[in-house]
Amino acid sequence: MAKKIFLPPKEFAKKAHIKSYSEYKKLYNESVKSPEKFWARYASELHWFKKWNRVFSYTKKPFCKWFEGGKTNITYNCLDRHVLTARKNKAAIIWQGEPEEDVMIYTYERLHRDVCRFANVLKKHGVKKGDRVCIYMPMVPGLAIAMLACARIGAIHSIVFGGFSAKALQKRLIDSEAKVLITADASIRKGGFVPLKDAADEALKGCKTVKSVIVYQRGKNPVKMKRGRDSWWHEEMAAPDITDICKPAIMDAESPLFILYTSGTTGTPKGELHTTGGYMTYVYLTTKWVFDLKEEDTYWCTADIGWITGHSYIVYGPLLNGATSIMFEGVPTYPGPDRFWQIVDKYNINIFYTAPTVVRSLEREGPKWVKMHDLSSLRLLGSVGEPINPKAWLWYHKMIGEDKCPIVDTWWQTEAGGIVITPLPGATPLKPGSATLPFPGIVPDVFLENGKKAKPNQEGYLVIKKPWPGIARTVWKNPKRYIDTYFSKYKNIYLTGDGARCDKDGYYWITGRLDDVMKVSGHRIGTAEVESGFVSHKLVSEAAVVPFPHPIKEQAICAFITLKRGAKESEELKQELRSHIAKEIGPIAKPDRLYFTDALPKTRSGKIMRRILKAIAEGKSDVGDTSTLADPEVVGRIIKIVKAKA
Ligand code: PRX
C-alpha cells in the first residue's frame, strides 16, 4: 500500500471553494450537528418558487423527506436561472461526437430553447406530471435534452443505458409502465452502427403501456417506423405548433424526478426513485465542492448518461452550477488509445472525471499516447465506479495530472444520488487508494456482522447512519424491497453493500461489494441477473456466476454451467451462451470464462455455494469449508476442469 500522503497544492487550495482541512472540518461538524441549518443554506443558493416548511422530516423511518413544502423545478435551476444572466451565451454542453468533425455547442440559451420545445413535444404526446418516459439513447445531445424536457413538465425519466439489450430494456419498460419511449435509429460505436431502434422494437413487443416512440436520427440507419406509434425527433421539433415557450412545472420538493434501474442481489433490477429538491441540492453542492467548479472551467465527466454518474455529473450537477460540461459520444480507444487525451487537449479541459478501469486500460497502452498531447490545462482529476488501486492512482497523478492535480476518488452509488465519500481537493490530504472522508452531511461507519462498530482498520460493512438529501427515496413500486435491501440488516441504518475499513485518521478504504453484485469495468451487474439470463437458454439446466479479479476491468465474470440432459458440451455452445447473455442483458455482461460442469456445489438444502466457486475462480488453493455440501466431491471435479483450461 502506498504510504505517501499528497497534500493539496498551495496554489490550488488558495483559490478553492473549500480551502483547508480545518474549513472542511468546521463545515462537516456543522452539517452533522445542525443539518437543517446547513442544508437550508445551500438549498437557498438555488431557486424555489416557494420555500420549504421543513428541511428534513423523518417520521416514517426509513423513508425520509427533504425540503417538504418547497416548490421548485430543477430545469429552472439548470437553465432559466442562467439564461437570465450573462451566462446565457455560455456553452452549457459541448457535444463531441465519435467522428472528430461531429461537434455541437449548446449555449444555455439554445439548450433552454430545445428543452422547452421538446417538452412541448412530450405534452403533445399526452405526457403529464408523474408519467414515466423511458429514454434509450446513445450519447447524443438529444439524450440530455430529453431528460431535461421530462423534468421541465414533471414527467419521470427512466434512462436505460444504450448498451443494454432489448430484453433488459423491456424489463425496465414494463416495470416503469412508461408511456413514451425516446430512442435513436442507431448509435455509433467504433466507426460502426449499432441498430438501437431494432432493439427498441423488439423490447416493445411485450410492452403495452408505450403509446409513442420518438426516434432521434443519429446514424441515418434505415429503420422501420410503425405508423401511429413512431415519429422522428427532428420532425416533431420542427412542427409548426411547437413553440419555444414551456413554463416549468411547479414541483413539490418530494415529487419524483427520475427512476434509474440498478442491479441488486436478485434477478430483477431495482428502480431507484430520486426526487426533486433534495437531489437537486445535493448534486449542486457536491459538484461545486468536490470538483471545485469555477465559472471559467471546462469540465468533462466521461461516463454515459445511462448511469447515475452521467445523470448527476454530466447533466444536472454541472448545469445547476452554470458550468460548461463536455459530453462525448465515443470510447477511450477509438480511433486510437489517445482519444481521451486528444479531447482534453482540444478543449483545454480543466477537470477530468473518469473510472479506474479507463485509467488502467490507458496506462497499459504506454506513455507515448499520453505524450502526444498537451494536458497542461488539467487542474483536477476524478475517479469513480470502483476502487482505484494505488498503482493506477499514482500513474494517473503523475502521467495525466503531471504531479500537480489533486485526485478526487469519489465513492458513491446509484442509490446515493451524488458523491458521498470523497476528498475536497483544496482541503483533503490524499492517500492513494482511499476515497478519504465523508462529504458534509454524511455519517458513515463500518459495522461488523453483529452490528458493533469495527475497530480502526478492521474490515466490515460500510453503512451510513443518517439520511442525506440525495438518497433514493424508495424502490419504484416496491417500498418493501427498499426496506429489505438497505435498512434491515441494521435497523434504519443504510447498508451500502460495500465492504470498507476506516483507518485511524478516519479515512475510508473501500474493499468492494460484499453482496452478489459485481463491478465489471465499473458497470454494476448482479450475479443473479446473469444466472437467470443463462438458464433462459434452452440447453442450460443450472448456472452459477461469480466475479474474479481482472487487471483492467477490476472484476470479470466467471460462469459455471450445467447443461440439460442430452445437450453436448462444445466450444460453439460456449460462444452461443456468451452471445445469449449479450442478448439477455448486454455485451457488458458477457463472461470472460465459462466452464461446463456436471454439477454445482450445493448445500443439502439445495443452495448453490458461490463462495466456493468464487475461491476456485480466484485460483485459491484453499476453497474453505466444504463440509455442508451435499456432494463435496463436486469441488474437486470443478477444480480439475478449471485447471485444465487455465
Ligand atoms: O462498489 C461500489 C462501487 O460502485 C458501486 C456503485 O455502483 P453504481 O450504483 O453503478 O454507481 C457507480 C457510480 C457512482 C459501489 O457500491 N464504487 C463506486 N465508486 C467507488 C466504488 N468503489 C470504490 N471506490 C469508489 N470511488
Side-chain angles (χ1 to χ4, degrees):
M1 198 185 305
K3 289 271 168 13
K4 193 168 166 194
I5 291 182
F6 292 76
L7 296 174
K10 280 207 178 80
E11 274 311 297
F12 189 105
K14 227 198 276 171
K15 296 189 208 136
H17 287 299
I18 310 301
K19 296 179 180 12
S20 63
Y21 182 75
S22 58
E23 189 182 350
Y24 157 73
K25 259 305 194 216
K26 205 167 143 219
L27 285 163
Y28 183 78
N29 291 342
E30 184 207 352
S31 76
V32 175
K33 259 196 217 131
S34 324
E36 306 212 0
K37 188 172 150 217
F38 178 87
W39 287 111
R41 182 161 71 236
Y42 298 104
S44 300
E45 291 181 6
L46 295 163
H47 172 272
W48 297 78
F49 298 110
K50 179 184 166 285
K51 276 266 162 89
W52 48 89
N53 306 326
R54 275 189 85 162
V55 175
F56 175 56
S57 338
Y58 203 28
T59 45
K60 285 194 193 141
K61 287 181 186 171
F63 300 97
C64 65
K65 287 185 181 167
W66 287 87
F67 307 110
E68 222 180 343
K71 297 205 186 283
T72 187
N73 185 296
I74 196 166
T75 70
Y76 189 94
N77 280 295
C78 286
L79 302 170
D80 304 54
R81 215 159 51 96
H82 310 308
V83 169
L84 295 170
T85 70
R87 281 189 187 135
K88 74 174 185 206
N89 289 318
K90 177 177 177 177
I93 292 179
I94 299 177
W95 177 76
Q96 171 65 61
E98 183 178 281
E100 183 58 34
E101 62 284 7
D102 286 4
V103 173
M104 281 196 245
I105 298 179
Y106 283 81
T107 61
Y108 274 94
E109 184 146 54
R110 179 175 175 196
L111 188 59
H112 179 266
R113 190 188 62 209
D114 280 11
V115 167
C116 287
R117 288 187 83 84
F118 196 68
N120 286 328
V121 170
L122 291 176
K123 277 191 194 164
K124 196 165 140 185
H125 283 270
V127 177
K128 302 213 166 53
K129 239 185 197 181
D131 285 345
R132 272 79 60 213
V133 172
C134 179
I135 303 174
Y136 178 61
M137 289 175 96
M139 282 285 283
V140 290
L143 170 52
I145 293 166
M147 69 194 277
L148 290 163
C150 290
R152 187 79 178 168
I153 59 172
I156 305 170
H157 58 74
S158 160
I159 304 182
V160 177
F161 171 56
F164 273 131
S165 68
K167 274 271 174 63
L169 170 64
Q170 186 181 60
K171 274 190 191 168
R172 288 155 177 81
L173 279 168
I174 291 173
D175 189 74
S176 64
E177 298 169 294
K179 197 170 191 175
V180 172
L181 172 65
I182 306 163
T183 185
D185 55 346
S187 57
I188 293 187
R189 200 177 156 79
K190 294 191 184 174
F193 288 129
V194 181
L196 221 55
K197 173 68 163 57
D198 293 355
D201 285 336
E202 185 66 30
L204 285 165
K205 278 184 192 154
C207 175
K208 296 198 185 73
T209 56
V210 175
K211 301 290 176 240
S212 314
V213 178
I214 303 173
V215 188
Y216 187 96
Q217 194 171 40
R218 175 61 185 123
K220 302 233 158 82
N221 211 32
V223 292
K224 280 195 219 100
M225 299 290 275
K226 187 170 171 183
R227 201 172 309 159
R229 187 195 71 180
D230 301 355
S231 59
W232 286 104
W233 171 292
H234 55 277
E235 289 175 6
E236 293 276 5
M237 287 287 263
D241 57 337
I242 294 298
T243 70
D244 292 355
I245 299 161
C246 175
K247 280 203 176 140
I250 312 284
M251 303 304 291
D252 290 329
E254 281 299 339
S255 318
L257 175 64
F258 65 85
I259 300 169
L260 184 57
Y261 286 88
T262 191
S263 298
T265 49
T266 70
T268 31
K270 300 185 285 262
E272 301 296 336
L273 183 75
H274 284 282
T275 58
T276 305
Y279 173 81
M280 175 174 84
T281 307
Y282 197 71
V283 297
Y284 162 70
L285 194 66
T286 48
T287 308
K288 184 169 168 177
W289 285 359
V290 175
F291 299 112
D292 190 45
L293 211 50
K294 304 277 173 45
E295 196 62 54
E296 62 278 13
D297 281 324
T298 305
Y299 160 94
W300 182 22
C301 163
T302 70
D304 190 294
I305 293 176
W307 308 111
I308 190 70
T309 308
H311 281 59
S312 301
Y313 297 112
I314 296 178
V315 182
Y316 287 122
L319 298 183
L320 286 165
N321 282 279
T324 299
S325 175
I326 302 275
M327 179 175 173
F328 175 51
E329 181 183 39
V331 297
T333 49
Y334 183 86
D338 61 330
R339 189 65 201 271
F340 274 14
W341 318 132
Q342 177 255 335
I343 294 174
V344 169
D345 191 353
K346 177 175 178 182
Y347 293 102
N348 288 315
I349 304 287
N350 308 109
I351 302 165
F352 177 74
Y353 188 33
T354 198
T357 186
V358 170
V359 174
R360 287 190 294 265
S361 70
L362 297 182
E363 176 187 1
R364 195 184 55 170
E365 301 289 344
K368 85 167 193 219
W369 299 100
V370 182
K371 291 190 175 143
M372 279 160 68
H373 302 282
D374 177 2
L375 306 184
S376 60
S377 58
L378 290 170
R379 65 179 194 90
L380 177 61
L381 302 173
S383 170
V384 61
E386 7 149 14
I388 179 161
N389 46 307
K391 184 173 166 280
W393 194 104
L394 292 167
W395 182 85
Y396 195 29
H397 191 261
K398 188 173 171 47
M399 283 302 290
I400 309 304
E402 297 172 355
D403 286 322
K404 70 176 194 311
C405 303
I407 297 178
V408 285
D409 174 3
T410 63
W411 179 90
W412 58 299
Q413 325 177 280
T414 305
E415 295 86 338
I419 293 165
V420 163
I421 297 180
T422 179
L424 298 183
T428 313
L430 305 175
K431 300 186 189 183
S434 168
T436 75
L437 301 166
F439 192 78
I442 301 293
V443 188
D445 210 337
V446 179
F447 279 6
L448 302 175
E449 195 65 49
N450 60 11
K452 289 217 171 99
K453 191 179 166 73
K455 296 198 184 86
N457 289 320
Q458 189 178 16
E459 192 178 337
Y461 294 87
L462 179 66
V463 297
I464 303 174
K465 298 196 282 193
K466 283 187 177 176
W468 61 102
I471 189 176
R473 299 296 192 263
T474 189
V475 171
W476 180 248
K477 290 197 308 196
N478 204 341
K480 185 173 177 300
R481 197 165 172 198
Y482 182 75
I483 300 172
D484 292 349
T485 312
Y486 306 114
F487 296 99
S488 53
K489 186 173 178 77
Y490 308 114
K491 197 166 167 25
N492 292 337
I493 292 209
Y494 176 76
L495 181 75
T496 64
D498 278 28
R501 40 190 195 81
C502 183
D503 69 18
K504 59 178 187 354
D505 299 325
Y507 276 49
Y508 286 84
W509 299 78
I510 312 295
T511 52
R513 300 287 311 192
L514 290 179
D515 53 8
D516 295 322
V517 170
M518 302 175 285
K519 289 296 288 201
V520 181
S521 298
H523 300 310
R524 178 166 162 176
I525 304 167
T527 51
E529 232 173 315
V530 186
E531 287 167 1
S532 66
F534 275 121
V535 294
S536 71
H537 188 279
K538 58 182 188 303
L539 298 180
V540 173
S541 165
E542 279 188 306
V545 164
V546 292
F548 67 94
H550 186 279
I552 305 291
K553 301 181 187 183
E554 167 83 9
Q555 289 189 322
I557 300 176
C558 175
F560 297 90
I561 307 281
T562 64
L563 295 175
K564 286 193 179 146
R565 207 177 291 270
K568 274 230 176 76
E569 295 176 9
S570 68
E571 272 313 308
E572 290 73 45
L573 182 55
K574 273 191 186 174
Q575 284 318 319
E576 188 182 318
L577 290 176
R578 286 164 51 79
S579 314
H580 179 73
I581 284 299
K583 258 205 212 141
E584 287 290 310
I585 302 171
I588 55 169
K590 276 187 182 177
D592 274 32
R593 295 200 213 143
L594 192 155
Y595 303 107
F596 293 123
T597 76
D598 62 343
L600 294 170
K602 287 186 188 167
T603 59
R604 273 177 280 272
S605 59
K607 198 170 169 273
I608 298 173
M609 293 201 66
R610 283 186 193 74
R611 165 178 67 74
I612 292 173
L613 292 171
K614 193 158 175 261
I616 297 175
E618 286 169 356
K620 287 196 176 141
S621 48
D622 178 11
V623 299
D625 180 17
T626 55
S627 62
T628 55
L629 291 179
D631 174 12
E633 283 182 9
V634 171
V635 176
R637 294 206 298 277
I638 297 179
I639 292 175
K640 227 169 158 187
I641 293 168
V642 170
K643 283 213 170 128
K645 303 275 173 190

